């Protein structure tokens, strides 16, 4: 889908609900593939950190998270009635301890957290209360500049009053789009196919939502 000739990578990945739900053990297959030598798909663990920029002075720290908490991605499958796979309670506890420790460590001037499920969304799935309760206080305390996610089939940009973190949702990758039923005021939201481009400099983060045809739809800059 992304030929090396036009996108040489690496392609950093996080696990989504379909990785857990569609095939039993699917998340393990994703991890195994991402750790093979010579592939551009990078996912060294279910949660991990990487920094971009010069090694002695990186520009941005990425904290990649598994949002498939038992309370978020669990429950029973509506079609089969069977329990839906998800990360374990022990993994949830270990990830939270890791996230707290990483946020206490020295980081680049900008910090971006990444997960599949949104904290806040005006889309069909709405807010994820469990993630808001667990991650939001840490994001605010340690000034995480942005949280990137997908899950809802649309493009969004949300700013929560009195909160430091910018929330960007990029879920227009190919599945059918869904209407945005929530009337919460936000800078941008559109049920459209598209993608999101990040430009990172020493002075600013710039996020631009594009349509599938390449038209710039919305831009936000974080100093």
């Amino acid at each position: 889908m992304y030929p090396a000739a036009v996108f040489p990578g690496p392609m950093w990945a996080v696990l989504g609900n379909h990785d857990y739900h569609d095939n039993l053990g699917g998340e393990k297959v994703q991890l195994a593939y991402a750790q093979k030598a010579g592939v551009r798909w990078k996912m060294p663990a279910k949660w991990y950190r990487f920094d971009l920029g010069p090694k002695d002075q990186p520009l941005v720290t990425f904290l990649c998270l598994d949002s498939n908490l038992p309370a978020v991605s669990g429950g029973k499958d509506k079609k089969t009635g069977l329990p839906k796979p998800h990360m374990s309670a022990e993994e949830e506890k270990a990830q939270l301890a890791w996230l707290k420790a990483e946020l206490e460590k020295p980081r680049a001037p900008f910090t971006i957290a990444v997960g599949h499920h949104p904290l806040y969304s005006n889309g069909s799935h709405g807010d994820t209360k469990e993630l808001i309760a667990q991650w939001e206080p840490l994001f605010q305390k340690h000034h995480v500049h942005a949280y990137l996610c997908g899950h809802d089939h649309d493009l969004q940009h949300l700013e929560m009053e009195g909160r430091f973190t910018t929330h960007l949702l990029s879920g227009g990758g190919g599945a059918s789009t869904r209407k945005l039923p929530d009337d919460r005021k936000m800078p941008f939201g559109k049920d459209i196919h598209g993608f999101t481009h990040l430009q990172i400099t020493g002075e600013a983060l710039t996020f631009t939502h594009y349509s599938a045809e390449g038209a710039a739809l919305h831009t936000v800059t974080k100093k």
Side-chain angles (χ1 to χ4, degrees), residues 124-203:
S124 57
H125 291 105
D127 296 350
T128 309
K129 295 178 181 178
E130 297 82 4
L131 297 182
I132 293 173
Q134 189 173 115
W135 295 353
E136 172 80 342
L138 295 172
F139 291 172
Q140 302 317 307
K141 178 182 177 181
H142 297 281
H143 280 196
V144 171
H145 293 81
Y147 177 70
L148 306 183
C149 64
H151 196 51
D152 274 326
H153 298 181
D154 51 51
L155 302 175
Q156 297 182 51
H157 164 211
L158 296 100
E159 299 287 348
M160 312 311 294
E161 187 175 356
R163 304 298 174 89
F164 179 79
T165 305
T166 292
H167 293 264
L168 292 137
L169 193 152
S170 187
S176 298
T177 57
R178 299 171 184 162
K179 294 294 182 184
L180 293 146
D182 197 298
D183 59 0
R184 176 200 283 138
K185 186 179 179 181
M186 61 177 173
F188 179 81
K190 203 163 187 179
D191 54 306
I192 188 173
H193 289 118
F195 62 97
T196 306
H197 179 267
L198 282 66
Q199 183 184 47
I200 303 164
T201 69
E203 292 73 39

Side-chain angles (χ1 to χ4, degrees), residues 20 27 46-47 66-75 84-98 134-135:
Y20 278 92
E27 76 283 1
K46 287 187 175 184
W47 54 89
D66 189 342
S67 62
N68 292 276
L69 278 54
V72 173
S73 202
K84 292 190 288 187
H86 49 74
M87 64 191 302
S88 69
E90 291 76 16
E91 287 176 320
E92 177 184 353
K93 184 177 179 180
Q95 176 178 245
L96 183 59
W98 174 89
Q134 189 173 115
W135 295 353

